[in-house]
Amino acid sequence: MNEKNANPIDQDRRQFLTASAAMAGVAIAPGVLLYNIAHGKPADQPVSNAVRWGMLIDTNQCREGCDACVKACGEENGFGHGTRETDSQWIRKVELKDMRSGQTKSLPVMCQHCAEPPCVDVCPTGASFKRADGIVLVDRHICIGCRYCMMACPYKARSFVHERITDQNPDVPRGIGCVESCTMCVHRVDRDQQPACVEACAKAGHGAIIFGNLNDPNSEIAKRIAQYATMELRADLKLNLGVRYQGF
Amino acid sequence: MMRGPAKLGRRSVWKWAAGLAALLALSLGAVAGGSGDGATMSSRTPKPTLVIEKGERCVEDTAYMRRNHMKLLMHQRDDTVHKGIRTEKHSLQNCINCHASSKNNSVLGTDENFCQSCHSYAAVKLDCWDCHASKPKQQATAPAPALAVGMAATAGGKQ
């Protein structure tokens, strides 16, 4: 092993082969083949635990005062933001300040899509559940609006719908009396698209949020997590979060 | 001691037979009378006024859909929410895309609209629409422009 790593020619050869294989893949099926390998689920197949969706938020790229992700989330999922205290918040910008150095950080916080979600543990009806691919959801057909999950969530990620809703996005059913939270735009993910906040952040020029498959060592998110120090919010709770933060 | 049927008095048997014959005659007469003014009877029965916008070709036979659409929807809903299976065939969105009225672009609104007509006739509560949109998606074929518009609005709001 050591011998192999010590040989720079082997290293170079390996890098060259990897790079050329990637180029060949791109050339054979531009944007299609590689994309399908990365996401790869036909519409009639169930999600599997071969994939675990996650997000990496680079707090160095996230701009104070920018709320492109929050707005995009509201538009995609059919609610305004911040107008009333009772309005749903699936994602919010949180300002952090180190009291000693005075340094501030601004970062988005949403449902952290725990591997061991407390909301699922406490839900009395089974409405709160984790999909095989790691996305934590509320089945509104089963939710009785008891809000135990809201109390159990350490991230204050869940909202309750207090008022009657009309003109929903057909892809995002929402209604009175149910608890809801960030779905990682599951309707888009199932169609091999990125969540709305990720696209909006990239469009705003920050690119602070990366979305991808944590289980795939070749995905950008897995590479970044392998390369840089990242952290989970309240890592002491050992919930194994799907959302990670970089740059603290 | 028990007496067998043969030992029954002849008079009582005749009475019984006559009664049966009279009943038969009465019921036949009633049926004949009923079929005689059948048209009047059916016009007195309210029927749902169903307007089917896009022909008779549904995803399954009409008779099957009438009896089982709720089972298909229930199955599809669990598959979609829990397993991420988003096939179009039995999806509620597909129902709406086909059956939304050309008048108000919805499956609800008046008792002529597709879902509402039968459900109000049968007095079966429709609560799908407390959460689901009753109108088809704006651009079912091209979702990208809608996204672009949303993005533009977001960018505009920021400036």
Side-chain angles (χ1 to χ4, degrees):
Chain A
M1 190 71 184
N2 285 337
E3 216 176 73
K4 207 177 191 180
N5 283 346
N7 187 347
I9 297 170
D10 266 359
Q11 285 289 329
D12 286 349
R13 185 181 289 161
R14 182 170 298 166
Q15 278 169 8
F16 172 73
L17 285 174
T18 316
S20 49
M23 288 302 288
V26 169
I28 289 162
V32 179
L33 180 66
L34 287 176
Y35 204 57
N36 281 348
I37 288 168
H39 291 224
K41 182 186 87 66
D44 61 344
Q45 294 298 311
V47 291
S48 76
N49 58 8
V51 175
R52 185 177 180 209
W53 296 120
M55 282 189 193
L56 175 63
I57 293 160
D58 186 347
T59 55
N60 289 324
Q61 304 298 322
C62 186
R63 288 286 162 269
E64 201 171 326
C66 169
D67 61 351
C69 54
V70 182
K71 277 185 181 162
C73 177
E75 280 188 29
E76 177 68 27
N77 297 300
F79 49 88
H81 70 285
T83 51
R84 285 170 300 186
E85 259 186 54
T86 50
D87 279 351
S88 286
Q89 280 186 315
W90 291 12
I91 176 171
R92 58 177 145 250
K93 284 295 290 287
V94 173
E95 312 289 331
L96 298 179
K97 188 176 181 186
D98 184 341
M99 297 309 281
R100 278 181 295 176
S101 65
Q103 194 194 27
T104 56
K105 291 271 184 190
S106 171
L107 46 98
V109 176
M110 70 290 273
C111 169
Q112 304 287 303
H113 299 277
C114 317
E116 316 280 346
C119 54
V120 175
D121 286 344
V122 300
C123 180
T125 65
S128 209
F129 70 100
K130 189 179 70 153
R131 256 174 39 147
D133 59 1
I135 299 180
V136 177
L137 294 174
V138 178
D139 185 344
R140 293 169 195 271
H141 304 107
I142 310 175
C143 177
I144 54 169
C146 73
R147 289 167 266 182
Y148 279 145
C149 58
M150 290 176 72
M151 285 186 272
C153 177
Y155 307 101
K156 207 180 174 183
R158 292 209 155 171
S159 300
F160 183 73
V161 183
H162 291 270
E163 278 145 30
R164 200 160 284 283
I165 294 171
T166 51
D167 290 332
Q168 293 90 339
N169 173 2
D171 283 328
V172 189
R174 301 176 61 237
I176 187 170
C178 286
V179 172
E180 58 183 24
S181 61
C182 160
T183 62
M184 278 199 186
C185 287
V186 69
H187 56 285
R188 294 168 62 105
V189 172
D190 283 342
R191 295 188 190 114
D192 287 353
Q193 292 173 314
Q194 303 257 311
C197 57
V198 179
E199 277 191 4
C201 187
K203 204 169 174 66
H206 305 314
I209 315 176
I210 301 174
F211 173 81
N213 180 5
L214 295 169
N215 283 352
D216 174 11
N218 295 318
S219 68
E220 195 193 344
I221 186 168
K223 281 182 190 166
R224 286 271 287 269
I225 286 173
Q227 193 174 356
Y228 300 106
T230 59
M231 61 163 281
E232 300 176 18
L233 297 183
R234 288 299 305 274
D236 55 314
L237 297 173
K238 295 187 169 55
L239 300 173
N240 185 0
L241 307 184
V243 179
R244 285 176 159 269
Y245 293 83
Q246 175 189 347
F248 276 105
Chain B
M1 266 187 48
M2 295 279 287
R3 284 201 302 178
K7 292 277 173 76
L8 272 171
R10 239 168 239 284
R11 264 179 69 193
S12 61
V13 171
W14 275 111
K15 252 187 183 171
W16 184 80
L20 191 70
L23 263 177
L24 260 174
L26 267 175
S27 59
L28 278 174
V31 167
S35 65
D37 57 3
T40 329
M41 290 294 284
S42 70
S43 71
R44 283 162 57 87
T45 311
K47 287 275 168 67
T49 49
L50 201 59
V51 180
I52 295 172
E53 298 283 348
K54 290 195 183 169
E56 294 284 339
R57 285 192 56 210
C58 202
V59 290
E60 307 286 350
D61 293 339
T62 307
Y64 184 81
M65 287 306 292
R66 277 187 190 150
R67 194 153 294 277
N68 293 305
H69 63 276
M70 71 298 278
K71 290 179 192 162
L72 297 175
L73 282 171
M74 178 85 96
H75 183 71
Q76 171 93 16
R77 114 190 170 180
D78 290 343
D79 277 357
T80 302
V81 176
H82 291 264
K83 298 182 190 166
I85 294 174
R86 291 178 193 271
T87 48
E88 270 189 13
K89 195 176 180 193
H90 293 148
S91 79
L92 186 62
Q93 274 193 43
N94 199 27
C95 299
I96 295 165
N97 288 344
C98 233
H99 290 302
S101 161
S102 57
K103 286 180 191 161
N104 65 353
N105 194 34
S106 170
V107 289
L108 304 178
T110 70
D111 279 355
E112 280 186 359
N113 288 52
F114 187 80
C115 294
Q116 193 173 330
S117 59
C118 280
H119 275 256
S120 62
Y121 174 76
V124 178
K125 196 185 165 203
L126 264 173
D127 57 4
C128 302
W129 319 113
D130 289 357
C131 289
H132 286 272
S134 66
K135 293 176 179 174
K137 207 173 178 186
Q138 294 294 317
Q139 287 120 337
T141 47
L147 189 72
V149 168
M151 297 297 177
T154 308
K158 231 187 86 186
Q159 282 159 4

